[in-house]
Every structure is written in C-alpha cells, then in structure tokens.
Amino acid sequence: MKNSMKPLKVLPALILLLVLTSCSSVRVATDYDREANFDNYKTFAFFKPGIDKAEINDLDKRRILRAIEAELMANGYTKSENPDMLVSIFTKSNQRVDIYNNAWGNGAWGWGGYGGWGWRSGWNNNQVTTTTEGVLYIDLIDAQKKELIWQGSGTGNLETRNVEKKEVRVKEFVSQMLMQFPPEKK
C-alpha cells in the first residue's frame, strides 16, 4: 500500500512544474491575406505613424524594432527606402490572476475538533499568482496598396525587472511570430 501512495505524493509537484513551464512560453497566432503573393515581398521599412501609436516606452520600442529587423534580415529580407512592405507594431498588456486550489495529500479518519469525527484532508492549499501578460502584434502591410497582408500576435508573461531577460524575451516573442512568415503555400 505504501508504494501506491508515492505517485500521489509526486503528482502535485509535477502539476506545479507543468504550470510554471507553460507560463514561460509565448502563444502565437497569425492571420494573413490569402490573395497576397508573398513571393513579391523582398524589402521592408518601418511604418513610423503606426509605431508611434504603440503605447510602450521608447526603449522597448527600439528593442522590438531591432529584433524584427534582425529576424527579417536573417530570413533574406532587405531594409529599403522604397519597400515592398511596411512593418508596424502595437501592444497590449493585461493582468492575469491564476488561482490554484490544491486539495491533494493523505487524508484520514479522525477527530476534527468542532467538526467531530470524519475524513480530514492532509493538505489543502490555495495559491494566487498575479502576472503581467503582454501581447505584441506585428503588422506587415503592402506598401503600394496600404493593405494589411499579415499579422502575428504573441502573448506571454513579461519580464520587466531585468534588462537582459527583457531583451531575451522580446527576441523570443519576435522570432516565434516571424517563424510563421511568410505563410506556407498551399
């Protein structure tokens, strides 16, 4: 009987580990114009009016723009004064509250004080965590038509205290999104 209880003791730790590691990932979604011929897009420039509207500080804007530029150039696109596509960004942030109600552990029959005899749980633990979850949108716009041709969004937890971690996180957001650009041909 003792050996059958070991998996139950390890299960809460495994669930907590899964929750913690899933919080660190970036969730990505993309949408695009199915009529656009993405082979025609070779050059890009940043769309300043759109970027100026992004409600983040200038340091973070520069981090994001440098990451986008590096990722696009690594994928063969060229920055140009006369571009095929324009790049714009915008951001959102939300407070995310997670409540974990853990009622795991060994229970037993016994005297419960005012409650009398009955089943008593060995561990009942509630945890509340609050994190800032950010969404970064990258819009790619046909420079001639001024029409949106592709949009990527990345959602995940933001690191705001450590500059090095923030740099890494921005690059992770951008690379995860632009990994899906251009869309695969059907």
Side-chain angles (χ1 to χ4, degrees):
M1 179 102 184
K2 214 172 196 183
N3 287 339
S4 66
M5 295 304 283
K6 279 188 178 181
L8 291 177
K9 289 181 180 180
V10 174
L11 188 61
L14 290 175
I15 290 172
L16 182 61
L17 180 64
L18 178 66
V19 168
L20 291 176
T21 57
S22 68
C23 291
S24 68
S25 66
V26 177
R27 296 179 308 279
V28 173
T30 61
D31 194 9
Y32 62 95
D33 180 354
R34 296 194 189 288
E35 303 298 316
N37 182 355
F38 290 94
D39 291 335
N40 292 338
Y41 301 103
K42 305 287 183 210
T43 60
F44 71 95
F46 291 109
F47 185 62
K48 187 169 172 28
I51 292 167
D52 286 344
K53 292 179 185 176
E55 296 182 6
I56 54 174
N57 68 53
D58 288 343
L59 294 171
D60 286 337
K61 278 183 191 177
R62 285 194 297 268
R63 283 183 185 100
I64 292 167
L65 297 178
R66 281 192 302 259
I68 291 170
E69 183 175 328
E71 198 69 31
L72 287 174
M73 292 179 86
N75 289 323
Y77 296 91
T78 307
K79 194 170 180 183
S80 171
E81 293 292 322
N82 188 20
D84 302 322
M85 66 181 170
L86 300 170
V87 179
S88 188
I89 62 168
F90 65 99
T91 60
K92 288 185 192 178
S93 67
N94 304 309
Q95 288 288 35
R96 178 177 169 164
V97 178
D98 293 315
I99 301 171
Y100 302 101
N101 182 0
N102 297 316
W104 301 89
N106 298 327
W109 287 97
W111 180 256
Y114 296 111
W117 281 93
W119 184 261
R120 303 292 171 235
S121 176
W123 176 29
N124 190 2
N125 185 16
N126 292 326
Q127 291 180 316
V128 178
T129 59
T130 303
T131 56
T132 301
E133 186 172 73
V135 184
L136 170 63
Y137 293 89
I138 299 175
D139 290 344
L140 300 180
I141 303 159
D142 183 293
Q144 297 293 347
K145 298 177 187 175
K146 303 291 191 252
E147 293 177 352
L148 183 66
I149 56 170
W150 184 90
Q151 182 179 67
S153 68
T155 306
N157 293 339
L158 299 176
E159 171 60 48
T160 57
R161 292 180 210 118
N162 182 302
V163 174
E164 288 80 22
K165 286 183 180 179
K166 187 183 280 192
E167 290 274 347
V168 168
R169 194 68 173 149
V170 164
K171 288 177 184 176
E172 181 182 7
F173 266 69
V174 170
S175 69
Q176 291 288 320
M177 283 188 282
L178 290 179
M179 190 179 296
Q180 297 186 30
F181 179 79
E184 291 183 21
K185 294 179 184 178
K186 302 278 178 175

